[in-house]
Amino acid sequence: MHPTIKNSLENSISYDAYRTLMQHLVETQATTGVDQNEALINYTMLNAKRMKRWDKTVKVSEEIKQKITALDKKVTWLIITESWCGDAAHVIPVLNKLADLNPNITFRLVERDKNLDLIDMFLTNGGRAIAKLIMLDDETGEVLNTFGPRPSEATALVNAYKAEHGKLTPEFKQDLQVWYNKNKGQNIINDITAMLCEFQSEVCA
């Protein structure tokens, strides 16, 4: 295992601990990261509500459950995130719901700005975009795959908008939140299932 990944894993926390951290940030009107500005604090408060809602409402079909439980390789899903990130608030609860289905999947989280060496190994188009999932083989330490910062359909929407307008506007970002709410995590679930299928054929069955 790469030393940077190993070090980040040693300093990672569980999903329950991360949710507790989010609640503490809300109560103390703070955010993760060095920059404690009002906008990021407000995003953290909003994201805590989003995560709480997704924890209760994400649904996984029986077909997908069977595919996820078919994974017999012990893996760790290491997530790079920050409390203020809107995409992360939609994505992470869905990933956790999938990880909960199989005891072979260990789910851990780290803050991006405390692990810049790590995120710099997994840039998206040269940027430190989050949330980022790193799938690790527990036996070999090999990086099996990565996911993020957004599911495939949301990524296509973002890329098309950037191509036409040059940058993302507040209006588009609001539209993207609407997309997440309508999709209910299903695009994330399908993307992850397809990734697992790539290194274990039983998941595809």
Side-chain angles (χ1 to χ4, degrees):
M1 180 179 291
H2 192 285
T4 296
I5 297 175
K6 184 174 184 293
N7 181 66
S8 293
L9 266 177
E10 289 172 352
N11 292 292
S12 66
I13 61 175
S14 68
Y15 183 73
D16 285 346
Y18 185 73
R19 293 291 287 109
T20 299
L21 170 63
M22 290 286 290
Q23 190 56 40
H24 175 72
L25 292 170
V26 170
E27 291 169 357
T28 57
Q29 295 191 335
T31 181
T32 57
V34 176
D35 193 353
Q36 296 290 312
N37 70 56
E38 183 178 359
L40 296 184
I41 291 170
N42 287 337
Y43 285 136
T44 293
M45 295 175 67
L46 177 60
N47 289 338
K49 293 178 182 177
R50 285 171 172 158
M51 295 183 77
K52 184 177 182 180
R53 184 179 75 248
W54 286 126
D55 283 341
K56 294 178 179 178
T57 60
V58 172
K59 297 289 191 296
V60 182
S61 70
E62 287 303 318
E63 179 186 2
I64 295 295
K65 286 180 181 178
Q66 290 176 11
K67 291 182 177 183
I68 298 299
T69 55
L71 179 71
D72 61 12
K73 180 193 292 286
K74 287 190 177 295
V75 297
T76 294
W77 291 2
L78 179 60
I79 318 295
I80 311 172
T81 187
E82 293 287 351
S83 67
W84 44 260
C85 177
D87 289 296
H90 292 291
V91 169
I92 292 173
V94 183
L95 297 178
N96 177 66
K97 189 76 71 171
L98 293 176
D100 272 350
L101 295 172
N102 192 325
N104 288 320
I105 303 173
T106 300
F107 195 83
R108 307 293 293 179
L109 301 102
V110 293
E111 295 173 36
R112 181 190 69 179
D113 293 353
K114 290 181 178 178
N115 296 269
L116 293 179
D117 288 348
L118 179 67
I119 190 63
D120 284 348
M121 294 173 62
F122 300 98
L123 299 177
T124 303
N125 299 322
R128 293 169 169 169
I130 50 177
K132 196 77 172 186
L133 162 61
I134 306 163
M135 296 184 180
L136 300 164
D137 185 322
D138 286 0
E139 184 177 353
T140 66
E142 174 191 3
V143 176
L144 297 169
N145 213 329
T146 63
F147 170 84
R150 301 178 181 94
S152 56
E153 292 177 23
T155 298
L157 291 172
V158 167
N159 291 344
Y161 195 89
K162 280 184 176 178
E164 183 175 351
H165 301 278
K167 64 178 182 179
L168 302 183
T169 62
E171 291 77 14
F172 174 82
K173 291 178 181 179
Q174 183 59 42
D175 289 343
L176 189 61
Q177 301 307 313
V178 172
W179 178 87
Y180 275 116
N181 291 334
K182 287 184 176 179
N183 185 260
K184 302 183 187 303
Q186 296 309 301
N187 186 208
I188 300 166
I189 290 169
N190 292 332
D191 283 351
I192 295 298
T193 304
M195 286 183 176
L196 295 180
C197 174
E198 289 178 12
F199 57 82
Q200 183 162 328
S201 59
E202 289 82 355
V203 178
C204 310

